[in-house]
Amino acid sequence: MLNPAMYTPEHLISKAREIFALARNSENVDDLRQALSRHAHRVAFATFNDYDSFSEGSIIRVRDCADVLNRILARRSEDRAGFSVAEAIRDIARDKPRPDLTPAFYAELLYLFLGLQGRGPGRKLVDLHLVPTRLKGRKAAIERSRQLDELSIEVEAQKARFQSGLADKAVLRREKRRARILKTLKADKTDWHNWQWQADNVLRDPELINQLLKLSDSERQAIESARAQKLPFGITPHYLSLMDDALKAGRDRAIRAQVIPPPSYVEQMGLPGRKGKCLDFMREADTSPADLITRRYPAICIFKPFNTCPQICVYCQRNWEINDAMEPGAMASDEAIKKALRWIKKHPAIHEVLLTGGDPLAMPDKDIRRIMDGLAAIPSVERIRIGSRTLVTMPMRITDSLADLLAAYLVPGKRQVAVVTHIQHPYEITPDTVTAVQRLKRRGISVYNQLVYTFFVSRRFEAAFLRRKLALIGVEPYYTFNTKGKEETVEYRVPIARLLQEQKEEARLLPGMARTDEAVYNVPGLGKSYLRASQHRDLISILPDGARLYEFHPWEKNISKITSTHTSEDVPILDYLKRLHAIGENPRDYKTIWYYY
């Protein structure tokens, strides 16, 4: 699948002779657009008309590829993209040099044209095991059950590649590292379980971190550069204890990537004028009707009284406004908080408030109490949702007294209190996290999880294994977010096609209660676009570097004539597969990725 000879003009032409014959004989680009559109329509019609000659999967593949081809050929798509796929096809057919076109571009066209023929690589894992049978009744049921057992064995083998932080060996490794950290910091176990000690001892110094953990040369240099440029950075002692010295094992790859910035991030963030000006990807400035408030939807608003966290996730949505981990002065003034609460009260359409920041559970109990008092005093607020990653970064923060405090605002039938956390990988789950979750659950507080689908959690069945473990500890999967298209976090991004593949192939093999989350793309200034619903987006172009260009439609598109769309350049699939190969994955295991649009 990574054979360079497959992704050349010559190979492409050999696999789609009819298309390139049309391209050679076309008088101009407009003529070719029409010819290819007619060809796509004819092929799709013939496939559905002569359906008994094709498998059901092939018929759907032809349909999807015909739709995509028609869309990327449209003049509107070309204008939005600033690039003509039709012109590129015509130039390839006529041997006109196109040095701008990459192997990733040829790969996209190759699989698109093969799909239009009902061909292309691979079947889903489930299709390899669940095969039709002529048996009926109980015999058919027994045969299907046998096939399901066979499928499950392979799925479990895939999941076995990953380790949970609850595994005995992982617990032992972390105990040893904790002892090492405590000895170096001249502290004891009582300190360790004190959340304030954790917050006061956030690790920032690269020399100290390197004493406590084996860093690669690039990691150490990136931390040094980040600190020199005063970029937001910090790791709690607890979270550092989750990392391993065995770099090649890769168990903690996702954990390191959460907080240790790659060189490309540091470089982008350090560009002159970059921080605080260009990084507001979600355009919160345009959706903030009052200080500390963000509102994108009718019945919910975001309230941000505390502008820091115990540690900073590299790909944080708000890295443009957070200066450092547990930075003094991050708490909004009392007057600003009161004004924000008055604003919420003046808008009774708002029934839910997402308390976030920063991490609001990093505030002292007294500040949490006064903010919760203020929200609970607003009659229209029927749900207080608290966004916090402390269950992972500093789980000892969820004390019995804090859990009691939050539960005091829970009034069945009148007001719900929920915590939405962000557990990114099964290796992050620890016995301390389980204890924190149970303290909340025992008091009636729901706990949900939001996963950001980055490269570091995107291997086959990696996210599925996480969801399974989350359900077992009492955390309900809620959202899986496509990584935001921010320039500084390009190393974290995954093609939308891979997230769709994960949701429709791997997640579908889990029981419903362990997979009932929603895959979304956050549209800047507009909010969530549900990726399962293809009507909310169009694939409008394949760019020269092989990136797919999507146009996303706002949620209110059918109820308002005055709406704007958002175009997003995706990660080239071929480049993504090469990165997977570099960490030991077999790209053939992902071969159906090309047909998720």
Side-chain angles (χ1 to χ4, degrees):
M1 182 158 283
L2 298 183
N3 181 1
M6 289 180 63
Y7 308 125
T8 63
E10 296 77 18
H11 186 72
L12 178 62
I13 291 171
S14 73
K15 296 297 182 180
R17 297 188 183 280
E18 187 173 358
I19 284 176
F20 285 97
L22 292 172
R24 279 191 296 273
N25 295 327
S26 61
E27 295 183 5
N28 50 51
V29 173
D30 279 335
D31 181 45
L32 177 58
R33 281 198 202 96
Q34 295 179 41
L36 290 180
S37 181
R38 288 193 296 269
H39 173 73
H41 177 77
R42 184 172 63 251
V43 169
F45 180 82
T47 303
F48 276 85
N49 193 51
D50 192 23
Y51 64 89
D52 49 354
S53 299
F54 295 88
S55 69
E56 295 297 328
S58 294
I59 293 171
I60 299 305
R61 183 169 288 186
V62 171
R63 179 204 66 184
D64 291 348
C65 291
D67 288 346
V68 167
L69 182 58
N70 272 313
R71 205 170 298 122
I72 66 178
L73 291 173
R75 286 185 61 247
R76 180 181 180 279
S77 295
E78 291 186 355
D79 290 344
R80 298 282 295 185
F83 175 73
S84 172
V85 174
E87 184 177 1
I89 292 171
R90 192 166 185 267
D91 288 344
I92 294 168
R94 296 182 171 214
D95 294 325
K96 181 178 179 180
R98 289 294 301 262
D100 59 320
L101 304 181
T102 64
F105 176 82
Y106 292 121
E108 280 284 1
L109 288 194
L110 173 65
Y111 294 117
L112 177 62
F113 295 158
L114 287 175
L116 194 60
Q117 302 166 28
R119 300 165 59 201
R123 290 187 293 169
K124 301 175 186 177
L125 177 63
V126 68
D127 293 335
L128 297 175
H129 290 276
L130 302 183
V131 297
T133 175
R134 294 184 178 182
L135 298 173
K136 300 293 182 182
R138 179 60 58 84
K139 289 183 178 180
I142 292 172
E143 172 58 19
R144 181 172 177 81
S145 181
R146 186 197 65 77
Q147 293 180 12
L148 289 169
D149 284 341
E150 191 177 82
L151 172 63
S152 296
I153 290 171
E154 185 162 346
V155 170
E156 291 306 312
Q158 290 269 13
K159 291 179 185 176
R161 300 186 299 152
F162 312 115
Q163 191 173 112
S164 161
L166 298 176
D168 291 342
K169 290 183 179 179
V171 172
L172 181 60
R173 279 192 294 268
R174 273 105 186 241
E175 287 177 351
K176 290 180 178 177
R177 178 154 326 273
R178 180 178 64 188
R180 182 174 168 185
I181 294 171
L182 286 172
K183 182 178 180 180
T184 303
L185 298 183
K186 296 181 172 56
D188 57 31
K189 288 184 179 180
T190 301
D191 294 321
W192 186 268
H193 292 289
N194 181 334
W195 75 269
Q196 194 61 63
W197 180 88
Q198 292 277 340
D200 291 342
N201 287 273
V202 170
L203 299 160
R204 299 180 177 86
D205 178 53
E207 290 295 333
L208 178 56
I209 293 172
N210 199 47
Q211 288 179 37
L212 300 172
L213 175 74
K214 185 175 182 180
L215 295 173
S216 68
D217 291 341
S218 64
E219 287 175 331
R220 183 171 180 175
Q221 291 168 9
I223 294 173
E224 290 173 350
S225 182
R227 296 312 295 161
Q229 296 182 46
K230 298 183 178 180
L231 300 182
F233 174 78
I235 310 175
T236 64
H238 169 81
Y239 200 75
L240 190 77
S241 75
L242 308 188
M243 302 179 195
D244 299 336
D245 280 333
L247 288 170
K248 290 184 179 180
R251 288 183 300 259
D252 65 343
R253 184 183 290 113
I255 292 176
R256 286 173 178 257
Q258 278 293 113
V259 288
I260 301 177
S264 60
Y265 173 90
V266 179
E267 181 181 351
Q268 280 287 331
M269 290 288 283
L271 293 175
R274 178 83 168 137
K275 191 173 188 301
K277 293 184 179 179
C278 308
L279 305 178
D280 182 10
F281 182 81
M282 286 303 296
R283 287 171 32 201
E284 293 198 39
D286 296 340
T287 51
S288 178
D291 289 348
L292 311 183
I293 299 292
T294 299
R295 187 184 186 187
R296 300 191 193 101
Y297 310 104
I300 182 174
C301 73
I302 295 172
F303 180 23
K304 302 178 291 184
F306 189 63
N307 196 35
T308 193
C309 301
Q311 65 181 43
I312 312 299
C313 298
V314 176
Y315 51 81
C316 176
Q317 176 175 308
R318 299 191 179 101
N319 59 2
W320 59 282
E321 63 179 358
I322 292 177
N323 291 320
D324 211 354
M326 297 308 291
E327 183 181 38
M331 174 66 70
S333 70
D334 188 56
E335 182 56 30
I337 290 172
K338 288 179 179 178
K339 283 184 178 180
L341 290 168
R342 286 197 295 268
W343 185 91
I344 297 171
K345 188 174 182 178
K346 288 179 182 178
H347 295 80
I350 293 173
H351 298 300
E352 180 170 338
V353 176
L354 169 55
L355 184 61
T356 181
D359 193 322
L361 293 189
M363 296 187 295
D365 285 5
K366 63 180 180 62
D367 291 314
I368 295 174
R369 180 178 288 106
R370 68 188 175 103
I371 289 170
M372 293 293 286
D373 281 345
L375 291 172
I378 301 173
S380 60
V381 174
E382 59 190 37
R383 182 176 299 103
I384 302 172
R385 192 199 316 175
I386 302 168
S388 176
R389 196 164 140 76
T390 55
L391 282 78
V392 177
T393 63
M394 198 167 63
M396 52 286 298
R397 175 62 186 107
I398 312 300
T399 61
D400 283 320
S401 60
L402 175 61
D404 287 338
L405 189 161
L406 298 178
Y409 301 94
L410 176 65
V411 183
K414 180 181 178 182
R415 187 187 308 114
Q416 180 187 8
V417 176
V419 170
V420 178
T421 190
H422 171 194
I423 301 175
Q424 184 68 5
H425 195 272
Y427 206 47
E428 284 185 329
I429 301 173
T430 66
D432 289 327
T433 295
V434 175
T435 298
V437 170
Q438 291 307 309
R439 279 180 177 153
L440 296 170
K441 298 277 286 186
R442 280 198 297 268
R443 290 163 173 85
I445 298 171
S446 303
V447 184
Y448 301 91
N449 192 63
Q450 296 184 160
L451 166 68
V452 181
Y453 199 69
T454 73
F455 173 80
F456 304 98
V457 298
S458 69
R459 290 175 292 177
R460 277 290 199 185
F461 292 97
E462 199 162 15
F465 184 59
L466 170 64
R467 293 189 195 97
R468 178 181 173 187
K469 291 299 179 182
L470 288 175
L472 288 173
I473 69 169
V475 179
E476 299 177 53
Y478 181 42
Y479 279 127
T480 295
F481 285 101
N482 184 72
T483 312
K484 293 178 177 66
K486 301 172 73 173
E487 292 178 27
E488 72 274 15
T489 53
V490 65
E491 291 194 31
Y492 291 78
R493 295 180 63 200
V494 176
I496 288 172
R498 172 63 191 128
L499 177 50
L500 292 172
Q501 182 186 43
E502 194 279 332
Q503 291 274 306
K504 295 183 179 182
E505 294 188 16
E506 295 139 61
R508 288 290 299 169
L509 298 178
L510 296 178
M513 294 184 72
R515 63 170 167 83
T516 48
D517 69 344
E518 187 69 62
V520 295
Y521 177 94
N522 255 328
V523 179
L526 299 173
K528 299 175 184 65
S529 178
Y530 295 98
L531 288 173
R532 292 183 197 268
S534 58
Q535 68 267 28
H536 295 329
R537 70 182 180 279
D538 290 318
L539 173 55
I540 61 173
S541 190
I542 308 296
L543 301 180
D545 66 352
R548 295 177 176 183
L549 187 70
Y550 288 93
E551 181 178 22
F552 286 90
H553 311 293
W555 60 269
E556 71 271 33
K557 64 181 178 181
N558 289 332
I559 58 175
S560 174
K561 294 181 180 179
I562 308 173
T563 57
S564 59
T565 61
H566 168 71
T567 54
S568 172
E569 185 175 329
D570 205 11
V571 179
I573 290 177
L574 187 63
D575 293 354
Y576 169 70
L577 294 177
K578 288 179 178 178
R579 286 191 71 190
L580 285 177
H581 183 64
I583 63 170
E585 290 292 289
N586 184 352
R588 291 189 177 277
D589 292 339
Y590 301 80
K591 56 191 174 184
T592 57
I593 189 173
W594 301 98
Y595 298 105
Y596 288 98
Y597 295 112

